[in-house]
Amino acid sequence: MPMVIIEGPKADVETKRELVKRITEVIREVYKVHHVSVIIHENETENVGSDGELLSDIIARRRG
Amino acid sequence: MPMVIIEGPKADVETKRELVKRITEVIREVYKVHHVSVIIHENETENVGSDGELLSDIIARRRG
Amino acid sequence: MPMVIIEGPKADVETKRELVKRITEVIREVYKVHHVSVIIHENETENVGSDGELLSDIIARRRG
Amino acid sequence: MPMVIIEGPKADVETKRELVKRITEVIREVYKVHHVSVIIHENETENVGSDGELLSDIIARRRG
Amino acid sequence: MPMVIIEGPKADVETKRELVKRITEVIREVYKVHHVSVIIHENETENVGSDGELLSDIIARRRG
Amino acid sequence: MPMVIIEGPKADVETKRELVKRITEVIREVYKVHHVSVIIHENETENVGSDGELLSDIIARRRG
C-alpha cells in the first residue's frame, strides 16, 4: 500500500512511464511511504460516460 | 462525483450509449446531482467467475 | 455479472434502496440479463477531489 | 502485482487475517509470483444490492 | 456478495479457471457464504507500476 | 475522465488536500487534460494485506 488505480485514456508507453514515475513521487512525498503500486486502465472513449453522453460522441460533436 | 464503474460484458456502442444515458439519469434523480461519470469495463466471459466457475464454462455447458 | 460499483456521497437507506432498484432495472433492460450486483461506496466530501480541489473545500467556498 | 480487492461484509480481524493469508497463497500458486497485495473493503449490508434489493432488506425478510 | 476483483497479469484460460475455483473456495470458507463473484482484469506489464517503474521496464532490465 | 482511485491509509484533511492538488497536476500535465476526479479510500491497516500478512500485524511486529 498505497495502490493507485488510474482510469485513463489510451496512452503510449512513454506517457505511462512518466505517469507511474510522477504519481509514485507524489504518493511517497504526501503519505511518507516507500512502496507504491499503480494500475493503469486504458479506456476507449466509447467506454466512458460524461454527464450522460459517451466521450466518443462528445469528441465527434466537437470536431463536427 | 458520483462515479459509476460497470463491470459488464462486451457490448456494441449503441448499448453503451443507452447505458450511459440511463445510468446517468438514475444517478442524477436519486442523488440530486448534475455531474456523473461512468466507466464501462467490458469483460470477456473467461474473465468472470460465478460461484466458482468461469462464465465461459457455464455458458458452454448450458449450450451443451 | 454485471456488477456496478458506485462511488457516491453519504446517503440514507431510502436513497440507497431506490438507487439499487433503479440501477438494477437499467442494467437488466440494457444488457438483457437477470443477475445484477451493486456495491455503494459512500465517500466523505473530504475524500473526493474535483479538478484539483477537495469537494469539501468547494462546498465550503460556495456557501461562503 | 497482483492486487486483489475484496468487496466483502464486515468481519473481525481473525477472519481478515485468515482471508489475506489464504488468498495470497492461492494467488502465489496460480500465478507463480511472490508479491501480492490485498485490500478488503467492508461493506454494510445496506450498501450492497443483489438483483434489485438491498442485502439488508433481503436478510430482514428472511428473518421474517 | 462477496465480489473479488483481481488486478493480475495476462493468463490462459486454464489458469483463470483454477484461479476462480480456488479463490471462490477460500471466500466461501472464510466468510461462510455461498455466492461469490470474481472479475479478473488482465493487465499488460506496461500498465503496471511498482515503486515508480513500469513492470515492463523492470522485467527488461532483469533480463538485461 | 481521467479518474484516479487511491487505496491509501487514514489521513488528515491537509494531507488529502495536498494529495488531490498534486495528483491532479500530474494527471493534467501527463495526459494533457483538464478535468480530473480523485477518490480517496482510507483503509484501516487491518484491511490491507501485504505478502500474506495484515499490515496491522506487520506494523505490530516491527514495533515489537
Side-chain angles (χ1 to χ4, degrees):
Chain A
M1 200 169 69
M3 304 176 203
V4 180
I5 298 176
I6 299 169
E7 299 289 345
K10 297 279 172 187
D12 58 27
V13 68
E14 282 302 325
T15 299
K16 294 186 282 193
R17 185 177 288 123
E18 187 189 355
L19 189 63
V20 161
K21 181 173 173 293
R22 292 184 60 187
I23 290 285
T24 299
E25 287 168 359
V26 169
I27 295 286
R28 282 175 168 171
E29 290 176 23
V30 176
Y31 280 132
K32 322 291 187 203
V33 295
H34 181 72
H35 291 299
V36 182
S37 301
V38 179
I39 297 279
I40 301 169
H41 289 156
E42 295 182 83
N43 298 280
E44 302 279 356
T45 55
E46 71 178 54
N47 285 0
V48 178
S50 179
D51 294 343
E53 284 187 290
L54 294 181
L55 186 54
S56 53
D57 289 344
I58 296 172
I59 292 169
R61 197 178 57 237
R62 281 182 189 159
R63 283 181 183 157
Chain B
M1 199 167 73
M3 305 176 202
V4 180
I5 297 176
I6 299 169
E7 298 289 345
K10 297 279 173 188
D12 59 27
V13 68
E14 283 302 326
T15 299
K16 294 185 283 193
R17 186 177 288 124
E18 186 189 354
L19 189 63
V20 161
K21 182 174 173 292
R22 292 184 60 186
I23 291 285
T24 300
E25 286 168 359
V26 169
I27 294 286
R28 281 176 169 169
E29 290 175 23
V30 176
Y31 280 132
K32 323 290 187 204
V33 295
H34 182 72
H35 291 299
V36 182
S37 300
V38 180
I39 297 278
I40 302 169
H41 289 157
E42 295 182 83
N43 297 280
E44 302 280 355
T45 56
E46 72 177 55
N47 284 1
V48 178
S50 179
D51 294 342
E53 283 187 292
L54 293 182
L55 186 54
S56 53
D57 290 343
I58 297 171
I59 292 169
R61 197 178 59 236
R62 281 182 190 160
R63 283 185 183 153
Chain C
M1 202 167 70
M3 304 177 205
V4 180
I5 297 175
I6 299 169
E7 299 289 345
K10 296 280 172 186
D12 58 28
V13 69
E14 282 303 324
T15 299
K16 293 186 281 194
R17 185 177 289 123
E18 186 188 354
L19 189 62
V20 161
K21 181 174 174 291
R22 293 184 61 185
I23 290 285
T24 300
E25 286 168 359
V26 169
I27 295 286
R28 283 176 168 168
E29 290 176 23
V30 175
Y31 280 132
K32 323 290 186 204
V33 295
H34 181 73
H35 291 299
V36 181
S37 301
V38 179
I39 297 278
I40 302 169
H41 289 157
E42 296 181 84
N43 297 280
E44 302 279 355
T45 55
E46 70 177 57
N47 285 1
V48 178
S50 180
D51 294 342
E53 283 187 290
L54 294 182
L55 187 52
S56 53
D57 289 344
I58 297 171
I59 291 169
R61 197 179 57 238
R62 280 183 190 159
R63 284 183 181 155
Chain D
M1 201 168 71
M3 303 178 205
V4 180
I5 297 175
I6 299 169
E7 299 288 345
K10 296 281 172 185
D12 58 27
V13 68
E14 282 303 325
T15 299
K16 294 186 282 193
R17 185 178 288 122
E18 187 189 354
L19 189 62
V20 161
K21 181 174 172 294
R22 294 183 60 186
I23 290 285
T24 299
E25 286 168 359
V26 170
I27 295 286
R28 282 176 169 168
E29 290 176 23
V30 176
Y31 280 132
K32 323 290 186 206
V33 295
H34 181 73
H35 291 299
V36 181
S37 301
V38 179
I39 297 278
I40 302 169
H41 290 156
E42 296 182 83
N43 297 281
E44 303 279 355
T45 55
E46 71 177 56
N47 285 0
V48 178
S50 179
D51 293 343
E53 282 188 291
L54 294 181
L55 186 53
S56 53
D57 289 343
I58 296 172
I59 292 170
R61 197 178 57 237
R62 281 182 190 159
R63 285 184 181 153
Chain E
M1 201 167 73
M3 305 176 203
V4 180
I5 297 175
I6 299 169
E7 299 289 346
K10 297 279 173 188
D12 60 26
V13 68
E14 283 303 325
T15 299
K16 293 186 281 193
R17 185 178 288 125
E18 186 189 354
L19 189 62
V20 161
K21 181 174 173 294
R22 293 183 60 186
I23 291 284
T24 299
E25 286 167 0
V26 170
I27 295 285
R28 282 177 168 168
E29 291 175 23
V30 176
Y31 280 131
K32 323 291 188 205
V33 295
H34 182 72
H35 291 298
V36 182
S37 301
V38 179
I39 297 278
I40 302 169
H41 289 157
E42 295 182 84
N43 297 281
E44 303 280 354
T45 56
E46 71 177 56
N47 285 0
V48 177
S50 180
D51 293 344
E53 282 188 292
L54 294 181
L55 186 54
S56 53
D57 289 343
I58 296 171
I59 292 169
R61 197 179 58 236
R62 282 181 190 159
R63 283 183 183 153
Chain F
M1 201 167 72
M3 305 177 204
V4 179
I5 297 176
I6 299 169
E7 299 288 346
K10 297 280 173 187
D12 59 26
V13 68
E14 282 302 324
T15 299
K16 294 186 282 194
R17 185 178 288 124
E18 186 188 354
L19 189 63
V20 161
K21 181 174 174 292
R22 293 183 60 186
I23 290 286
T24 300
E25 286 168 358
V26 169
I27 294 287
R28 282 176 169 169
E29 291 176 22
V30 176
Y31 280 132
K32 323 290 187 204
V33 295
H34 182 72
H35 292 298
V36 181
S37 300
V38 179
I39 297 278
I40 302 168
H41 289 158
E42 295 182 85
N43 297 280
E44 302 279 355
T45 55
E46 71 178 54
N47 284 0
V48 177
S50 179
D51 293 343
E53 283 188 290
L54 294 182
L55 186 53
S56 53
D57 289 344
I58 297 171
I59 291 170
R61 197 178 57 237
R62 281 182 190 159
R63 286 185 180 153

